[in-house]
């Protein structure tokens, strides 16, 4: 399921919503790519702790959502930037993982996150997109939107480097 | 293989632990700088949720620690990178906030985080250091160490941009 | 003039070429926005030194191109990453500047650059896109493509923070 | 207003100058590590073009300097941020390269650069420090100081990821 968009299909700023993009052009390395992501997600205690939900897994793409609660807030009542980072780091990581070979796992080498607006709303959706897959490294971009009353606001963008851990399955 | 450690509680890699550094040379903007950080930290639901503790507040410096639990883990049992990011983003933000004038609050504009080693141990300590204070922006660096059996391992480094929100008190 | 694309209009990796994007939706702050960018570009000794050319200025968008020469190479003969950074930092900065008010100038606070592939070809084109304009800060993304034999390869992506210098004209 | 300086050639902000740091604790992989860096530097057309000079090569450390000229300026007469990036990206890359095995070369995966103050002075010095070496990746930090009249001002900080290109010598 892709996040809903407001009328006109426009994001609030200069990055285009997913629906305006061409369909993913990546081939997963093996059939079980989505199940592997779902099982890995299910083993993350931190995801359950913060109340995150895996909402989409496609080749080169992943979306994770969360309904903000008082326990996920910073001092002004918005979603804590670290929780937001947890979502988008994971969305980017799993987007990359969909393209990694069987028997491998995924490691975040680094990421950079710009926070654009307070993350407040009924639902926060973090999406990861593979920009360049590779044998050793994969590069992704991430976007986080806040949804409120049918509108979407872009609240953060990310750029991330992942490492393919060959021969080290996720469990 | 992990890098060799050296005696005396030294960090394992090429950044010096806090004790080897000269004392902070920054002047806080007003006397209540540490209380203001403590009160702000206390209002962050996310900090209580993940079990983080504020362990030091000095002019231009802040340290936040956490004892890892199953609920703060990623899929391999290490501290989740997003939780680690929550710690170090906050440590950097509060380091900057110690130097901001009365009546202001702090906003993270962006940060970049390199994850160097799995964050596992008895305690994870995130430290923020102001590199350059300013009237509108402040630049900080962050380091995260994992402590185990008396040894410290550097597990992440951060570089961060903060914004001074003049005339917008934290509460 | 927008950079040429290879057949099918597809970029080589997961970021869409400009033509697949909706037209810019930003309003420049005043009529002379493009002339102001051209004059500022003309005053940059570094741009002349490396042989860079300003190829497009639109509201929220800027493209700068360069034909690689031996003097712009790194040790393997590809375009030096620092020269590439010069191009894309400037493209992002001028993209932001198109939306800044009269009497202001632009400052790069920080950027993060991922190098995806060797920058080699007949022409290297760096593009900057405003993601979020603001009164004090503006956030941009950048892309660098290498053109060779009618094909385009994405060789770098950037994420950047700019500052609006109110009341400090560019000259 | 610039921050107060302290005697003894201290840096103006919160990062310690090199002389206050403990000696490097890294072991080079082979004896020819410094010659390999010097030869690689000599093959970079871009370094000659901008007038950069290799001033120090030690295990896990490299310094590159430049005397600013009109041709290396941006539109306000300061050193162009892209030229500064060229210096510090190379300093970080060569710092890492000192620890890479024989028969390998070095590739910048990504870096993030914060610009702290205008780069103006008699000499601009970029330094790279290895934070964590590794078999596949190496992480470095960089600092750029502007020297004028015996004082040093920290003008930029960098955080960088390098890749070890095994079996691909630099020439």
């Amino acid at each position: 399921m892709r996040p809903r968009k407001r009328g006109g299909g426009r994001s609030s700023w200069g990055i285009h919503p997913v629906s305006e993009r061409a369909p993913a052009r990546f081939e997963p390395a093996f059939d079980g790519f989505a199940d592997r992501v779902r099982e890995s997600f299910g083993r993350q205690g931190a995801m359950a702790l913060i109340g995150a939900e895996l909402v989409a897994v496609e080749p080169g793409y992943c979306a994770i959502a969360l309904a903000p609660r008082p326990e996920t807030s910073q001092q002004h009542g918005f979603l804590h930037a670290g929780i937001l980072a947890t979502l988008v780091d994971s969305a980017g990581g799993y987007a990359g993982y969909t393209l990694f070979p069987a028997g491998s796992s995924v490691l975040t080498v680094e990421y950079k996150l710009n926070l654009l607006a307070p993350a407040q709303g009924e639902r926060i959706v973090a999406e990861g997109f593979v920009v360049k897959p590779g044998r050793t490294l994969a590069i992704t971009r991430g976007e986080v939107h806040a949804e409120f009353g049918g509108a979407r606001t872009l609240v953060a963008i990310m750029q991330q480097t992942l490492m393919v851990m060959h021969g080290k399955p996720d469990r």
Side-chain angles (χ1 to χ4, degrees), chain A:
Chain A
M1 189 186 73
R2 289 293 174 75
R4 287 165 299 155
K5 283 170 307 312
R6 65 173 174 180
R10 280 275 168 89
S11 176
S12 50
W13 288 310
I15 283 191
H16 296 189
V18 176
S19 62
E20 291 180 32
R21 292 176 181 125
R25 290 163 292 139
F26 293 113
E27 292 294 325
F30 72 113
D31 282 347
F33 76 94
D35 286 343
R36 184 173 65 175
V37 167
R38 282 186 207 106
E39 288 162 21
S40 175
F41 186 92
R43 283 194 298 278
Q44 294 206 45
M47 287 298 163
L49 180 68
I50 64 176
E53 183 192 359
L54 184 64
V55 292
V57 184
E58 296 172 22
Y61 175 78
C62 178
I64 298 174
L66 175 146
R69 296 167 294 144
E71 306 92 72
T72 57
S73 68
Q74 36 83 288
Q75 70 275 28
H76 304 122
F78 306 135
L79 186 71
H80 195 284
I83 305 291
L84 184 150
T86 305
L87 298 179
V88 71
D89 174 27
S90 297
Y94 284 134
Y97 198 25
T98 61
L99 307 181
F100 290 8
S104 67
S105 52
V106 56
L107 194 70
T108 297
V109 173
E110 60 82 36
Y111 66 83
K112 180 250 204 285
L113 182 69
N114 272 79
L115 302 167
L116 307 180
Q120 56 183 332
E122 298 148 0
R123 199 167 80 133
I124 309 295
V125 183
E127 299 173 282
F129 308 87
V130 172
V131 173
K132 193 199 161 185
R135 208 181 62 82
T136 306
L137 300 177
I139 311 303
T140 73
R141 289 195 310 105
E143 296 175 16
V144 184
H145 285 85
E147 298 177 348
F148 187 77
R152 304 180 80 211
T153 301
L154 181 67
V155 297
I157 58 172
M158 180 192 71
Q159 203 167 299
Q160 183 189 46
T161 307
L162 304 171
M163 191 164 183
V164 184
M165 304 301 279
H166 291 283
K168 298 192 178 172
D170 194 58
R171 65 172 313 162

